[in-house]
Amino acid sequence: MFLDWGSITTFYGQLLKGAGLTLVITGLAFAIAIAVGLLVCAGRISRVAPVRWASTVYVEVMRNTPVLLQIFIIFYGLPSLGLRFSAVTAGVLGLGLNVGAYLAEIFRAGVIAVPKGHREAATALALSKVQTLIWVVIPVSLRAVFPALSNMFLATLLGSSLLSVIAVPELTGETNEISSRTFLTIEVYSFSTLIYLALTLSCSIGLALLARWLFPRASRS
């Protein structure tokens, strides 16, 4: 069987454009996920029972149903209620809301991981609740959850490939389009695999360097 690897050069631009959109979608979806995660985390540890129950229901529903189904509901279902989104917007919202449920549990674990002695020390220093949150809880919990946050960012990047199902022209979407038009299946998908590897490895290195900058003592230990 003859494989026409040389023809791939014709589609570099289209595939790289798809990769660029993949990064944009990942960044926007993860930003939404962080905001949702912090809000839901606050609800999960709230002393107000209805808020705590609502947050718990959100986490369980989003984590125990397929993210693709959630994207379909936003893109195909909400228009029947008068809410219409473009494919990219629907995909970003779907990914962000889904990943936000996972981040909420990660943030909650980080808050719980803060030693009780740290809070007592903050109280002894007459720090307010806001000051304790900013100077004690967030730095300690962020160090604890940063590896999990990094993994979720990479999962969001790879999960963006699901948006090809609703015709978003990200990397997988562009790959599918080229493959169906040229029948260069092995060649195109192999090259896209290399692009995904380059993206994830680059992001992994960037996140590792960010961790060394944020937590210098932890990175040396």
Side-chain angles (χ1 to χ4, degrees), residues 188-209:
V188 175
Y189 282 105
S190 297
F191 190 74
S192 291
T193 298
L194 293 178
I195 295 178
Y196 273 114
L197 282 173
L199 292 177
T200 54
L201 291 176
S202 298
C203 289
S204 296
I205 293 172
L207 290 167
L209 293 174

Side-chain angles (χ1 to χ4, degrees), residues 14 17-19 21-22 25 87-88 163-164 167-174:
Q14 187 175 349
K17 182 179 179 181
L21 182 57
T22 292
I25 289 171
V88 173
L163 306 191
S164 61
V168 173
E170 44 71 59
L171 180 54
T172 298
E174 295 286 20

Side-chain angles (χ1 to χ4, degrees), residues 30-196:
F30 203 71
I32 293 173
I34 289 176
V36 171
L38 290 172
L39 182 63
V40 177
C41 172
R44 290 277 278 153
I45 61 179
S46 173
R47 295 182 180 180
V48 181
V51 174
R52 189 170 62 251
W53 296 338
S55 300
T56 301
V57 169
Y58 177 84
V59 168
E60 295 303 322
V61 169
M62 299 303 288
R63 293 199 307 170
N64 292 288
T65 56
V67 60
L68 188 56
L69 179 61
Q70 297 163 16
I71 293 171
F72 282 166
I73 290 174
I74 295 174
F75 187 59
Y76 295 116
L78 291 186
S80 63
L81 301 178
L83 296 174
R84 297 182 181 276
F85 300 103
S86 67
V88 173
T89 301
V92 168
L93 287 175
L95 281 178
L97 293 174
N98 179 268
V99 175
Y102 290 90
L103 293 190
E105 291 301 279
I106 292 174
F107 291 146
R108 188 168 72 95
V111 172
I112 294 174
V114 177
K116 185 178 179 181
H118 286 50
R119 300 176 189 273
E120 293 174 346
T123 301
L125 292 172
L127 296 181
S128 66
K129 289 184 177 181
V130 174
Q131 290 174 321
T132 301
L133 177 66
I134 295 174
W135 299 108
V136 179
V137 176
I138 291 179
V140 175
S141 60
L142 182 59
R143 178 181 289 122
V145 305
F146 194 83
L149 289 178
S150 299
N151 289 335
M152 287 305 304
F153 181 84
L154 296 178
T156 305
L157 190 155
L158 296 177
S160 66
S161 62
L162 293 172
L163 306 191
S164 61
V165 178
I166 56 173
V168 173
E170 44 71 59
L171 180 54
T172 298
E174 295 286 20
T175 302
N176 291 338
E177 192 277 329
I178 294 172
S179 176
S180 64
R181 176 161 47 87
T182 65
F183 301 102
L184 298 173
T185 305
I186 294 179
E187 297 91 332
V188 175
Y189 282 105
S190 297
F191 190 74
S192 291
T193 298
L194 293 178
I195 295 178
Y196 273 114

